[in-house]
Amino acid sequence: LFSRMVDAKGVRPAAFLERYPIAPRLGEMMLATEASGELTTTAINCLGAIGNSAEALEYLAGEKTALAALASVYDRSLGQLRVECMKAIACIFGHSTSPSKAGSQACYELYERLADGKLLMSLVKEIMKGFEETCVAGLAVIQKMALHAWGVREIASHQNALNYLLMRDSSRGRLAQQWQFAAIESIAKSERAESEFDAATLAQIQKYVKDGPYYVSSAPQVALGSS
């Protein structure tokens, strides 16, 4: 409903949210202990859709309660609820391919709230579980992080996480491999890449992109001599 309304001519997202107190109500729904899993998931999905609008995101950053509720739910969530949180976070981080300073700052403030500021390592742990939907959601968040200067800085400052992202796993589904490639490609395309990574690491990132999403290194062939 929100997406349809803000797409209508003359309707500004921030004005819509100011007139109709959707954001605080979504926060209440997410935090309500008596709420069903379905209701909580619906609230999370709605917040992700709203936060995918740059203007709406700036409003949410000022309103604070809805994004704080999302961070709280993420921190205590498990299983499918954690996946839904990651999807919403990816929508918010990916609100623009060229985010404004204000929009990027709003995303960074949310990042700092999530997992006590250790969201990247939390995402890697989720990806390492090996479940396809979890991998895709976690990698999608990292790919959207890489659209922001702060995101590339965070990735560069966690070498173990980057090393893991650069490890190919052909046992993953094709969609997960595509998102893994998209994450590395976004890092490579970032204007911050050359300043954040040393030459060797940058070369490794660029090679990954050049090889494509489904590259499998050939095992060395051992020639067997005849006796």
Side-chain angles (χ1 to χ4, degrees), residues 12-67:
R12 294 183 59 243
F16 181 88
L17 291 169
E18 287 171 359
R19 182 171 181 180
Y20 303 101
I22 297 171
R25 180 56 183 148
L26 290 176
E28 292 170 5
M29 290 168 63
M30 283 186 277
L31 295 176
T33 54
E34 71 276 9
S36 67
E38 184 176 353
L39 185 61
T40 302
T41 296
T42 299
I44 291 168
N45 292 341
C46 288
L47 185 61
I50 292 171
N52 196 235
S53 159
E55 185 179 338
L57 175 58
E58 291 184 30
Y59 172 86
L60 292 173
E63 189 273 339
K64 295 185 184 299
T65 63
L67 294 179

Side-chain angles (χ1 to χ4, degrees), residues 4 10 44 69 76 88 102 121 125 127 137 139 142 169 179-180 195 200 209 214 224:
R4 291 180 181 179
I44 291 168
R76 69 170 190 255
M121 297 311 300
K125 289 178 181 177
I127 296 166
L139 289 164
I142 293 173
D169 184 352
W179 274 106
Q180 183 176 0
S195 60
V209 174
Y214 310 118
L224 300 177

Side-chain angles (χ1 to χ4, degrees), residues 167-215:
M167 289 174 56
R168 295 181 184 270
D169 184 352
S170 58
S171 68
R172 287 182 183 154
R174 290 181 72 83
L175 186 58
Q177 292 182 64
Q178 289 167 8
W179 274 106
Q180 183 176 0
F181 176 81
I184 299 301
E185 185 177 43
S186 292
I187 294 169
K189 287 182 176 180
S190 171
E191 294 179 355
R192 303 286 301 178
E194 289 190 3
S195 60
E196 294 291 351
F197 300 103
D198 60 53
T201 301
L202 187 59
Q204 193 176 2
I205 291 169
Q206 292 169 340
K207 182 180 186 305
Y208 188 106
V209 174
K210 181 179 179 181
D211 289 340
Y214 310 118
Y215 174 79

Side-chain angles (χ1 to χ4, degrees), residues 7 44 57 67 91 105 115 139 141 143 176 188:
D7 284 341
I44 291 168
L57 175 58
L67 294 179
C91 286
Q105 179 62 27
L139 289 164
V141 176
Q143 189 269 323

Side-chain angles (χ1 to χ4, degrees), residues 133-175:
E133 189 174 15
T134 304
C135 283
V136 169
L139 289 164
V141 176
I142 293 173
Q143 189 269 323
K144 302 308 180 185
M145 278 179 60
L147 300 175
H148 303 269
W150 61 262
V152 176
R153 183 181 68 244
E154 284 294 309
I155 294 167
S157 66
H158 291 79
Q159 188 64 45
N160 289 341
L162 179 60
N163 289 343
Y164 181 76
L165 289 172
L166 289 168
M167 289 174 56
R168 295 181 184 270
D169 184 352
S170 58
S171 68
R172 287 182 183 154
R174 290 181 72 83
L175 186 58

